[in-house]
Amino acid sequence: MVSRVIPVDPFDLVIFGSTGDLAQRKILPALFRRFCAGQWPQDVQIIGAARAGYDRDTFHQVVTESLQIHAPRHCKDTNALEVFLQRVDYVSLDALSEEGWDRLAGKLTKDRVRAFYFSVGPRLFGPLAERIKAHDLATEKTRIVVEKPFGHNLESARVLNATLAAHFSEGQIYRIDHYLGKETVQNLMAVRFGNMLFEPLWNSQYVDHIQITVAESVGIDGREEYYERAGAMRDMVQNHLMQLLCLIAMEPPAKFDPDAVRDEKLKVIRALDPVEPHHIVRGQFEGGPNGPSYRETVGNPRSTTESYVALRTHVSNWRWAGTPFYLRTGKRLVARSSVINVMFKDAPHSIFGADAGRHANVLSIRLQPNEGITLKVTIKEPGQGGMRLVDVPLDMSFAEALGPENQDPPDAYERLVMDVIRGNQTLFMRGDEVEAAWAWTDPIIAGWQARGDVPKPYETGSTGPGDAELLMKRDGRRWQGINP
Ligand code: BG6
């Protein structure tokens, strides 16, 4: 099945922080892949802006090197690379002074979509927004894109929202959570709201509990300073896991429209119960044969920052009353594996007797790797006397089901950057959503600080601290395996 490419209108995209890691690793490769897919018209303009005193040619060299690493397959087409680079320009510019802004103004095209991507730390959001306005660069068709972390807590998120709101309307602000750009995350909505099969069962009457696991095998190398201040709760739970939880738990929006979807997600966040201290486990990885410990990595022998979190929460509404949501995420775990498991209840009565054992359906939505969906169903064990039951997977790998061209699904940034150009905010976080997520997260972190909580050590390459298993065991449940 060949996916359809819907071309976008001509646009100017300015990337502030264009020499930084995110721009080089994600944004520019995403733009190049979309260019190769034929999604742009001829006269698009991408302008890298950063403090480095590069000229256009030097910037082209930097971009080429990044693309060769991060989009190697597409770079084989040297003609495509050359034509792409003709559309890429560079301005040396300082966010904190007037230096370079007139040069930028001179390059922008009138009367077309103009997107400013703030691929910089949040302390520069305000100065950039102010200068865009002061130099009269903002038009009606202007959008700004901001990255996480969107604040460090509720208070700082409010300040950021207010700073941006002083210069731009909410409809112009695109707050990225790149998890929302992942193909399977969008598929979650397609599966839930495009099929009759699941929705009638999608509630506490039929669902025993939900498990959301985002396990990473990587550590925090190269981001020590940021991570030491953030920890897993701020880095992953407040945003990525929260968004997954929302998509699983939300009511069907009336339509697939930005505010309809975001209104429903916001209701979920506001309905989340506070997390009791005995329903949350923090962990920190220890050193071993597979590498140094967290503390060695950050160079702080007393660090109490968590690199792992497992918790239990509830969505207090009619649909989910009594169904716990278990979330866990961590660094340096046994595998990279992000999966949502919807664990259905046992059949109310077993006609097959005690020998048949207990069986329950599990719907697994694999976000990465091997994107796909598996439904575990119970059947008769073949060839056995009597009625012995066994669970087998009904498995749908998207790559297999949709053909070889879907082996390599578009990166989240490809979808999100094109949505900015199209002016579609459905997969971006609204200001009130971000604030509500912090309002739930802040008391958890404050509780740790007040109690002087120290994270539990876990082995590098393991599934996390033993206490995370206990969290489940106490409830008579257990985590599904972390499988790559
Ligand atoms: C980022 C976090 O937002 O997401 C990182 O800051 C994390 O710590 C990353 O590694 C995970 O993203 P992905 O797409 O690799 O699952």
Side-chain angles (χ1 to χ4, degrees), residues 25-26 147-149 177-179 182 214-216 218-220 223 226-227 231 234-236 239-240 329 331 336 338 368 411-413:
R25 216 163 33 85
K26 291 289 184 187
E147 275 288 339
K148 72 172 265 272
D177 182 314
H178 79 278
Y179 265 58
K182 288 183 189 276
V214 178
E216 294 189 278
V218 294
I220 51 152
R223 306 163 71 220
Y226 153 76
Y227 198 90
R234 290 189 174 98
D235 184 51
M236 297 293 286
N239 38 78
H240 304 325
T329 183
K331 302 276 186 203
R336 176 177 191 244
S338 301
Q368 58 194 28
D411 181 77
Y413 279 87

Side-chain angles (χ1 to χ4, degrees), residues 148-226:
K148 72 172 265 272
F150 198 84
H152 189 71
N153 52 22
L154 176 58
E155 200 188 326
S156 54
R158 277 189 179 141
V159 171
L160 279 180
N161 274 335
T163 307
L164 296 180
H167 303 286
F168 299 97
S169 68
E170 183 61 34
Q172 293 180 298
I173 304 171
Y174 289 70
R175 294 176 196 78
I176 286 207
D177 182 314
H178 79 278
Y179 265 58
L180 290 176
K182 288 183 189 276
E183 275 291 293
T184 319
V185 175
Q186 294 164 60
N187 241 318
L188 232 171
M189 283 186 275
V191 166
R192 275 197 65 192
F193 305 127
N195 294 286
M196 197 52 205
L197 199 60
F198 301 113
E199 201 49 28
L201 307 178
W202 212 261
N203 56 54
S204 59
Q205 200 183 338
Y206 299 102
V207 176
D208 178 72
H209 71 283
I210 310 264
Q211 300 185 9
I212 302 178
T213 297
V214 178
E216 294 189 278
S217 49
V218 294
I220 51 152
D221 307 73
R223 306 163 71 220
E224 293 82 0
E225 203 187 315
Y226 153 76

